[in-house]
Amino acid sequence: MMNRYKHLLAQWRPLPHPNRLLWSLAIGLTTGSLGVVFALSYAALIFSGNLTGQLSTGFGLVLFSVATTRMIVALTSSYPGMVADLSTVPTAILAWSVGMVVRELPVGTSPGEVLVTVLATIALTSVLTGSVLLLLGLFQLGEWVRLMPRSVVGGFVASTGWLLVKGAIKLMTNQTLDWAHLPMLIQPQVFLHWLPGLLLALYLLWLSRYPLHPLAMITSLVAAIAVFYGLLSLSGISPNQAIVHGWTLPIANDQGVQTLWQSLSHLHLGLIHWPAIAKQWMCIATAIVTAAISLLMNVSGLELVTKRPIDLNQELKVAGATNLLLGLSGGILSFQSLSKSVLSHKLGNRDRFPTLADSGLCIILPLLGSSFLCYFPKPVLGGLLLFLGLSLLLEWVYAAWFKLSRVDYGIVQLIWMTSSTIGFLQGLTLGWLLAGGLLLFNSKRLLRQLGK
């Protein structure tokens, strides 16, 4: 019994051996730096369009949420090297939901009410998702998540990939990606704004095909920023002129931490437009389901990479309690990340300290204010979002042809094509109807087999 407690204590111990302290710190700074870039891209995706003026608030919100989640998950996960982050699919669905909430607000709504309603939408999604994940973990129901038809999930993911592509183009050009705006997008001045992002996305797609060094991604992004400013210098454009011409983020460089972090309180309840949020119930439900499925896939994938068992129900409880707490404080949905955890593992992380260190980096940057944000290149952020979106589309539009049955493949394409041509909400509605039909059909078939 004593040996068992010693083993558990050794697993929980947050500090590494003194000989590995510097290396563990370097791992934390590496994963933290990559997390910051992804956080900025997700913040730019959510706080776009009419919310562009609140981008600094979005960046602070995302970073504080990631820092909180990483610290709690690092200390309570059943796997010591677990790293948490925002997840691509639920975040993209949340971004679309936020945009629709803003559209539903009455004309003349004050900027303060708009921001509070957006923050309430984000917080409510976190609270509901956290509650569902916690209940799944408490009642040992993690495996039930697998019942969701894979083809329907694939349709949701492919639809999300298209949302990311559209969001990337909107970020880089301030133009919507549709047939009506296509002539505008191919005009030389606009074309030059999204072409570098597309080239970066294609490079990252090519890079992801090969088993390269774990630092290849962060090195590539740093190199892309360097190339961007090198080309600006050759063109005779100063960093301040780049801001004016829309090459970098439109953020005032004198905003402090008060602007970067604005949490909700009981004083804001009267300013929230609840009917606009209620209309997005289907998007919120889809974000919850995709979050549960993403968490299951992340944990299962990490088990294969690390070759060690991870308690799925424990991870569900950790993610659930964390997001419940996060949502009550106004934070954004985040949970265990496969890519960041695998990166940390491949860099040699076997304990909890590196994740605590990289969460510290996520806290420090917002405290420094927004002076550095206005110089971040849009093509790099847009290219990263394009890479994520094209990756999902390639997986479920091209590669799925070789992995799924013809019927399942057709369902995937039907859902995402409906989302991209008719509307995202219509695509979700079709997906949920198909999911219900497939679950009913499979349950009847299972009952017939049991009857025999």
Side-chain angles (χ1 to χ4, degrees):
M1 181 67 70
M2 185 62 68
N3 290 333
R4 181 187 175 193
Y5 283 122
K6 287 182 178 178
H7 174 68
L8 291 175
L9 182 62
Q11 270 199 331
W12 182 85
R13 186 182 296 123
L15 290 177
H17 190 276
N19 293 338
R20 288 180 48 83
L21 185 59
L22 289 178
W23 179 242
S24 295
L25 182 61
I27 294 174
L29 292 176
T30 300
T31 56
S33 300
L34 187 59
V36 166
V37 178
F38 273 89
L40 185 52
S41 66
Y42 288 136
L45 178 67
I46 298 172
F47 289 80
S48 60
N50 295 331
L51 295 174
T52 302
Q54 304 292 344
L55 180 54
S56 58
T57 299
F59 184 53
L61 171 70
V62 170
L63 277 188
F64 276 116
S65 300
V66 169
T68 302
T69 310
R70 286 190 176 186
M71 284 191 288
I72 296 176
V73 169
L75 293 173
T76 58
S77 172
S78 59
Y79 174 66
M82 189 73 76
V83 181
D85 205 350
L86 273 68
S87 181
T88 302
V89 176
T91 302
I93 295 173
L94 177 60
W96 191 89
S97 179
V98 164
M100 293 304 296
V101 166
V102 173
R103 285 189 187 181
E104 291 289 339
L105 295 178
V107 177
T109 303
S110 68
E113 290 180 61
V114 173
L115 178 60
V116 168
T117 303
V118 165
L119 294 178
T121 305
I122 293 171
L124 180 62
T125 304
S126 300
V127 168
L128 293 177
T129 305
S131 301
V132 171
L133 295 180
L134 182 59
L135 289 173
L136 288 174
L138 289 174
F139 290 99
Q140 309 287 306
L141 298 175
E143 293 301 320
W144 284 83
V145 178
R146 297 183 188 274
L147 293 177
M148 188 70 174
R150 188 184 180 193
S151 56
V152 174
V153 175
F156 288 157
V157 173
S159 301
T160 302
W162 180 245
L163 285 183
L164 287 167
V165 170
K166 293 180 66 176
I169 298 298
K170 184 70 176 291
L171 171 65
M172 291 184 287
T173 66
N174 292 323
Q175 299 291 333
T176 304
L177 180 58
D178 54 31
W179 289 110
H181 292 86
L182 191 58
M184 178 70 70
L185 291 173
I186 60 177
Q187 289 183 2
Q189 290 183 342
V190 180
F191 177 77
L192 290 176
H193 277 266
W194 61 262
L195 178 62
L198 176 61
L199 294 177
L200 175 61
L202 294 176
Y203 167 74
L204 293 176
L205 283 172
W206 171 80
L207 194 69
S208 64
R209 295 176 55 195
Y210 302 98
L212 300 175
H213 193 277
L215 295 179
M217 175 67 77
I218 185 63
T219 304
S220 298
L221 293 175
V222 171
I225 296 173
V227 169
F228 172 82
Y229 275 101
L231 292 174
L232 279 187
S233 178
L234 291 174
S235 302
I237 301 175
S238 68
N240 289 331
Q241 289 175 324
I243 299 175
V244 175
H245 292 298
W247 287 103
T248 54
L249 296 175
I251 297 177
N253 61 10
D254 57 349
Q255 293 177 319
V257 68
Q258 293 83 3
T259 305
L260 285 171
W261 176 245
Q262 298 184 26
S263 59
L264 291 171
S265 71
H266 66 281
L267 300 175
H268 295 128
L269 294 178
L271 301 176
I272 299 172
H273 291 255
W274 294 109
I277 299 176
K279 290 181 179 179
Q280 302 308 313
W281 64 270
M282 187 176 295
C283 288
I284 295 175
T286 307
I288 293 171
V289 171
T290 54
I293 293 172
S294 297
L295 178 57
L296 172 65
M297 294 172 62
N298 290 350
V299 173
S300 301
L302 190 58
E303 282 183 325
L304 293 175
V305 173
T306 61
K307 295 181 174 58
R308 59 176 294 172
I310 301 175
D311 188 343
L312 173 60
N313 289 304
Q314 170 67 10
E315 298 307 317
L316 283 167
K317 287 185 283 187
V318 168
T322 302
N323 280 285
L324 191 56
L325 175 65
L326 201 62
L328 291 174
S329 60
I332 191 170
L333 172 65
S334 52
F335 49 87
Q336 293 86 331
S337 167
L338 174 60
S339 59
K340 308 301 188 308
S341 299
V342 168
L343 172 63
S344 182
H345 174 77
K346 289 186 176 181
L347 290 174
N349 179 26
R350 301 296 182 269
D351 50 60
R352 304 176 191 273
F353 178 74
T355 307
L356 296 176
D358 80 32
S359 64
L361 181 63
C362 294
I363 294 174
I364 291 172
L365 284 179
L367 294 177
L368 297 177
S370 61
S371 58
F372 65 96
L373 291 181
C374 59
Y375 298 109
F376 207 98
K378 279 187 179 181
V380 175
L381 292 180
L384 187 56
L385 290 175
L386 266 180
F387 161 67
L388 295 173
L390 292 175
S391 297
L392 298 180
L393 288 173
L394 284 174
E395 180 181 357
W396 289 102
V397 177
Y398 171 71
W401 172 263
F402 306 100
K403 300 177 182 179
L404 301 179
S405 68
R406 297 289 81 90
V407 173
D408 285 343
Y409 181 80
I411 291 174
V412 172
Q413 308 316 309
L414 181 61
I415 294 173
W416 97 265
M417 287 299 293
T418 302
S419 297
S420 61
T421 56
I422 301 177
F424 186 68
L425 187 59
Q426 288 82 351
L428 294 185
T429 303
L430 176 62
W432 281 108
L433 290 174
L434 288 172
L438 289 171
L439 288 172
L440 183 62
F441 175 77
N442 290 332
S443 63
K444 286 185 175 180
R445 186 175 59 180
L446 180 61
L447 289 174
R448 285 199 300 268
Q449 290 176 350
L450 291 176
K452 295 180 181 179

